Every structure is written in structure tokens, then in C-alpha cells.
Amino acid sequence: MSHVADLQKENDLLRKQLAAEKSVRVKHEAQIAALNEKIQLLLKQRFGTSSEKSSPDQLGLFNEAEDVLAEDVAEAEPEATPVKGHTRTRKPRVSIPDHFPREEIIHDIPESEKVCPHDGSTLKNIGSDDHEQLDIVPATINVIRHKRLKYACPCCEGHIVTAAKPKQPIEKSIASPGLLAFIAVQKYGDALPLYRQSEMFKRIGIELDRTNMANWMVTCGELVQPLINLLIEHLHKQTYLHLDETPLQVLDEPGKAAQSKSYMWVMAHDGEQPACIFYYADSRGQQIPLNLLGAENTAIMVDGYEGYQKACDDYGITRLGCWAHARRKFKEAQDLQKKGKTGKADQALAFIRRLYAIEKRIKDEPPDKRFAIRHQEAAPVLKKLKDWMEKSLNTVPPKTAVGKALVYLNNQWGRLVTYLEDGRYPMDNNAAERAIRPFTIGRKNWLFSKSQAGAKASANLYSLIETARANKLNIYNYLTHVFKELPNAHSIEDIEALLPWNANLV
């Protein structure tokens, strides 16, 4: 009996060892699978196409001309061209707006040909065949000379009066409001660094030092601070705000290495009178949202970063979760699937597409109707999605791409469904991401800010430009107007008149 007992013990021990080895093997296989997924995702991010639609204003599309050529797009009226397998519609010819000035170049036939070869009669002009081309004249430099007339008494010669002139954005500087606006729009609106602008100015015959231009931008950023204050006040009156943040490198920061990260925060609202504020901070800590927000704020739409939660708790702010972030994680998991295969990522994306389809259909409805339709149509979809998510969490390893997406969805669920509570609430944080995109594109070109003053000035100028853009203004005309009028503003009413929705641009 003792021999049988010993064998039984050995068998039990062997089974335990095999079970432990299997557990370790399964764990290692899961880790290997997760690492392989991570490698595939990194390779796709580095070399593949974006999983989401790219913005048409993104830079870096070096092969634009080649791409268009490959599409065989001809300048012709719209027509259907049969091609094997489908019908290709050619793009229309680009039209030239009527308000542009026209220069006529008349092409006439020689006098000797203005006679009819049949009966010798003089030919009569019956019209013309016209063809318009769009031409462009490179930027030209104009010099504005301010002449302040002086008057003196002819009798005593002791009384002299000199005419006043309006205050300038930068006194005793050669930079006019138009030049400052031009430089600011190219740097902050078009992501063109100052050193490149300096080279462009050289080509048209003017030497503008990059350091001078940088100092001008810092001064302009300080000049517009009263307008920025009004925009912040305007944002705090809104029902909800979008917030986001992105890294920024500032070389000269007290107590920090030049390689350390700082951050550019953005606070935006995309409703009536849209506005956007950029805010430079040397950290990503929870103190920044506490400084940006207050008890007057009702709700914020943010991603899953927990640094926002302290402000929500202290000020009683409703926190809305971003469905675009949840969708993005499942899209990344879907991209890692083998071609032709479907899986849980496809199921999740199908649910989320249904939610977005509802939002697209009701986006122009009043808030009360959106509220009712969301509860009638979106709530049942969310219920099914939650049931599916809870079952899937028990079967999918958490370290895989799908597992990570499910864990994120589960952790954020309470925030993601909060948009049902008010018909005015947005479903995602795309407004903040759209607002911050020009900064992230520009960062690839100019890489860093030299000083804190430069970073703060950049934040203010980005704020004005993106707010003007959101209000569908010509950003160059708007900045020129602001730089011309703001130095001569004497009251709060004068400054309010310069807000994008109040500005009278002729």
C-alpha cells in the first residue's frame, strides 16, 4: 500500500509540475503574441497608411504630384470614362473666381488676313475664343512712410506742433501690422519655420534676420494677451469644453534639462462662436487642469488621461469619455488581424459605427431632440455593446491588442456613456484634436521653442489663428486687423470688437 501511495504522490507531483510548466508556457506564448502585435503595430505606424482618415491640410505629402499623375486626372469637364471593372469620373476643371482682377492679352490676326478670299470684303469681328489662366505675382515689398507734419508759429517760432500717428504694434520697428501678420500666419498657420521664411525674404530682396522675427513674434504674443483673456472668459461660459495636450520641448526652462518634456494644452469649444485656447505649461500634472478650469465649468470632453480627474472632482465637473479613442484602439487591433479574417475588433467597430451613424443623422437637430433620439436608439446599442464587452473580457488575454482595447473600453465605460445625459454633449474629442493638429504639424518643422516667453507667445498666436480659422475668417486679414487696432484700443469694448465674431473685416 505504501508503494502505491508513493506512486500516487509522484503522479500528483508530476501533474503539478506539468500544469506549472503549461501555465508558464501559456504565459510566455501570450507575451510573445503581445510583443509580435506590438512590433506589427509599430511597423504599420512607421511604414503603413494611417488607420484613420488623414486631414487634407496635413503636410509632408512629398509625392502629391506623382499621386495625382497616377490617378490619371485630366483637366476636363466631368465625364464618365469606362474602365474595366468600374466607371471613373474625371474631376472638373478648376474654376477661377470672378472677383480676381483680369488682365487681357488680345491675340489678333494680321491685317493681310482680314480680307475675305472669296469676294475681297473686309472681315468683321464677331467675338473671341477666350481662355483664362491663373497667374501669380511673387510677394512684393512696399515701404510705408509715416510722415508726421510739423507746424510752427511764423512770428514767435516758439510754438511747434507735430501731428500724431496711431500707435504701432511694435514702436520704432520696421515691421508693419501686415508684415507681422504675414510672418505669424506662415509660422503658426502654415508651419513654416522662421529660418525658412528668412530665406524666402532673401529671394524677394529683403534681409530679415530670424532672431528679429522671433523677437517680433514674442512681442505680438504679449500684445494680444487682452484678447486671449476674453477668449478664456468666453470658453468658461460654454456648456462643455474639449481639452487635450501634446508634448513640447522648450530649451531654456529653469531647473529642467533641455531634453525634458513640456506640454502645450488646448481648450476648445466647437459650438456657436467657436474658440480655441492654447496654454503652455512645463508639466502634464493634474495642477494644469486645475488652473485651466473652475467651478463655473459644467462638463469637459477628454481622453483617458487621469490628470483631468482631480479638477473634475474638486469642481464638480462632468467628465465625458471620447469614443474616437475607444474606436482607435479597436481599429489598431483590427489592422493586426490576418487579411480576410474577422474577429472581435470587427464586432466592436460595428457597434461603434452604429453609434456614430446615429450621431451623424441627428447632428443638426436641437439638443432636446438629440437627447430623445440618443435614449431611444443609441442606448439599446450601448446595452448590447456592454453585454458583449463583459463576455469578451473573460475570453481575451488582456495583453493582446484586442484585450487592451477591451480593457480601455471597460475602464472608460462610465465616461463614454455620459454623453447620453445632455443633447448638447459631444460624443468624442475630435474638436480638440483638430485644433491641436496645426501645432503638432508645425512642431515637426521647428522641433522646439527656445524660451518660455517664446512658448507662451506661440500659444497666444496659435489661439488667435485657430479661433479665427474656426470662425471661417481669412486669418491673415484678421491678424493684420488685430495688430493694427489693438495698440489703439482704450476700453474693454474696443477689445471685444476685435474678437473674431465681432471683427469688422473689410
Side-chain angles (χ1 to χ4, degrees):
M1 290 294 294
S2 60
H3 180 66
V4 173
D6 290 341
L7 287 175
Q8 185 65 42
K9 287 181 180 179
E10 289 181 7
N11 287 337
D12 290 343
L13 182 60
L14 183 60
R15 279 196 293 269
K16 289 179 181 180
Q17 289 175 340
L18 291 172
E21 290 175 0
K22 182 179 179 181
S23 176
V24 171
R25 185 172 66 252
V26 169
K27 183 179 179 181
H28 286 170
E29 288 174 352
Q31 289 176 337
I32 290 170
L35 289 172
N36 283 332
E37 283 188 343
K38 184 175 290 188
I39 291 170
Q40 292 178 49
L41 182 59
L42 290 172
L43 288 172
K44 177 172 173 49
Q45 291 173 344
R46 178 65 180 86
F47 300 108
T49 57
S50 173
S51 63
E52 297 182 280
K53 290 183 179 179
S54 296
S55 169
D57 61 356
Q58 284 186 347
L59 302 181
L61 302 179
F62 185 77
N63 290 325
E64 285 175 322
E66 292 85 343
D67 290 343
V68 172
L69 184 62
E71 292 173 6
D72 191 26
V73 177
E75 285 193 352
E77 297 301 319
E79 60 176 293
T81 304
V83 179
K84 186 177 180 179
H86 72 285
T87 299
R88 173 181 294 159
T89 302
R90 291 187 173 184
K91 295 182 181 179
R93 184 187 298 274
V94 176
S95 60
I96 303 175
D98 293 334
H99 68 271
F100 286 110
R102 261 65 175 174
E103 174 190 356
E104 285 194 348
I105 301 176
I106 298 175
H107 305 280
D108 202 353
I109 60 177
E111 291 296 327
S112 60
E113 295 181 13
K114 294 182 180 180
V115 178
C116 178
H118 302 294
D119 59 16
S121 300
T122 302
L123 299 183
K124 180 182 179 182
N125 178 259
I126 57 171
S128 63
D129 288 333
D130 297 340
H131 166 224
E132 290 190 334
Q133 294 177 313
L134 187 62
D135 192 21
I136 187 167
V137 178
T140 57
I141 298 294
N142 294 323
V143 177
I144 301 172
R145 176 178 291 170
H146 293 273
K147 292 188 71 170
R148 300 171 58 198
L149 298 182
K150 301 171 67 175
Y151 293 86
C153 174
C155 298
C156 67
E157 296 184 354
H159 181 66
I160 300 175
V161 179
T162 304
K165 72 177 178 67
K167 291 182 179 179
Q168 300 300 303
I170 306 177
E171 293 291 351
K172 299 181 180 180
S173 169
I174 66 169
S176 70
L179 177 60
L180 295 171
F182 182 79
I183 295 170
V185 168
Q186 287 205 109
K187 176 171 171 60
Y188 303 108
D190 300 330
L192 196 64
L194 295 180
Y195 76 90
R196 293 186 190 172
Q197 294 193 50
S198 180
E199 293 300 316
M200 291 172 59
F201 280 116
K202 284 181 183 179
R203 289 199 294 270
I204 56 177
I206 190 74
E207 295 279 348
L208 286 183
D209 182 71
R210 180 178 62 174
T211 302
N212 283 342
M213 289 191 286
N215 290 333
W216 291 346
M217 291 301 98
V218 171
T219 302
C220 288
E222 295 169 351
L223 171 70
V224 301
Q225 188 62 52
L227 263 179
I228 301 301
N229 295 341
L230 289 181
L231 287 176
I232 294 172
E233 290 180 12
H234 171 75
L235 285 173
H236 283 305
K237 296 175 183 177
Q238 307 310 313
T239 306
Y240 62 88
L241 292 174
H242 295 268
L243 278 85
D244 200 3
E245 78 290 331
T246 190
L248 164 70
Q249 186 179 358
V250 179
L251 298 185
D252 298 336
E253 286 183 310
K256 292 181 65 177
Q259 296 79 14
S260 59
K261 281 185 181 180
S262 294
Y263 287 85
M264 190 67 82
W265 297 69
V266 66
M267 184 166 63
H269 180 73
D270 59 346
E272 188 177 354
Q273 297 180 345
C276 171
I277 285 294
F278 286 76
Y279 179 79
Y280 153 72
D282 61 4
S283 78
R284 197 190 181 205
Q286 62 185 17
Q287 187 59 43
I288 309 304
L290 284 168
N291 295 340
L292 289 173
L293 300 168
E296 69 272 25
N297 297 115
T298 305
I300 59 171
M301 164 58 74
V302 293
D303 58 23
Y305 174 51
E306 288 304 316
Y308 295 104
Q309 193 57 42
K310 175 69 172 172
C312 291
D313 294 339
D314 286 7
Y315 301 137
I317 297 172
T318 298
R319 179 168 176 172
L320 306 170
C322 175
W323 276 101
H325 279 78
R327 178 181 60 187
R328 192 171 299 150
K329 293 184 182 299
F330 283 107
K331 186 66 176 70
E332 290 174 354
Q334 184 191 51
D335 290 340
L336 297 175
Q337 293 174 176
K338 294 181 179 179
K339 288 186 177 180
K341 297 287 185 178
T342 58
K344 289 191 176 294
D346 301 276
Q347 294 175 283
L349 290 171
F351 279 116
I352 297 172
R353 275 195 296 270
R354 290 172 64 184
L355 295 174
Y356 270 97
I358 296 169
E359 290 303 302
K360 183 177 180 180
R361 194 177 74 249
I362 66 175
K363 66 182 178 66
D364 295 324
E365 300 290 350
D368 57 341
K369 191 168 183 180
R370 286 204 299 272
F371 175 83
I373 294 174
R374 283 173 175 176
H375 278 268
Q376 182 180 356
E377 299 183 27
V381 177
L382 289 166
K383 174 66 168 59
K384 292 179 181 178
L385 175 56
K386 185 180 182 183
D387 292 342
W388 171 87
M389 174 190 70
E390 290 174 344
K391 291 179 182 177
S392 300
L393 282 168
N394 296 323
T395 60
V396 178
K399 294 295 182 67
T400 62
V402 175
K404 290 177 181 177
L406 285 165
V407 170
Y408 181 88
L409 182 66
N410 182 57
N411 291 343
Q412 297 293 317
W413 186 261
R415 298 163 181 171
L416 289 167
V417 298
T418 305
Y419 81 103
L420 296 177
E421 295 178 2
D422 193 314
R424 295 168 294 181
Y425 289 165
M427 187 178 173
D428 58 39
N429 204 27
N430 284 350
E433 295 193 1
R434 283 194 303 270
I436 212 166
R437 186 176 295 120
F439 172 83
T440 59
I441 293 172
R443 183 181 57 199
K444 294 176 182 178
N445 290 339
W446 45 256
L447 302 180
F448 54 80
S449 287
K450 179 69 170 63
S451 65
Q452 290 183 310
K456 292 174 182 177
S458 295
N460 282 357
L461 293 172
Y462 270 115
S463 300
L464 276 194
I465 287 174
E466 293 309 313
T467 299
R469 201 197 303 270
N471 284 273
K472 298 180 171 27
L473 296 181
N474 180 304
I475 56 178
Y476 167 76
N477 291 344
Y478 176 66
L479 279 193
T480 301
H481 178 67
V482 167
F483 292 159
K484 181 180 178 182
E485 300 297 333
L486 189 55
N488 298 285
H490 300 295
S491 65
I492 189 66
E493 290 76 19
D494 292 339
I495 300 172
E496 287 176 342
L498 298 177
L499 289 169
W501 43 86
N502 295 333
N504 183 20
L505 300 181
V506 180

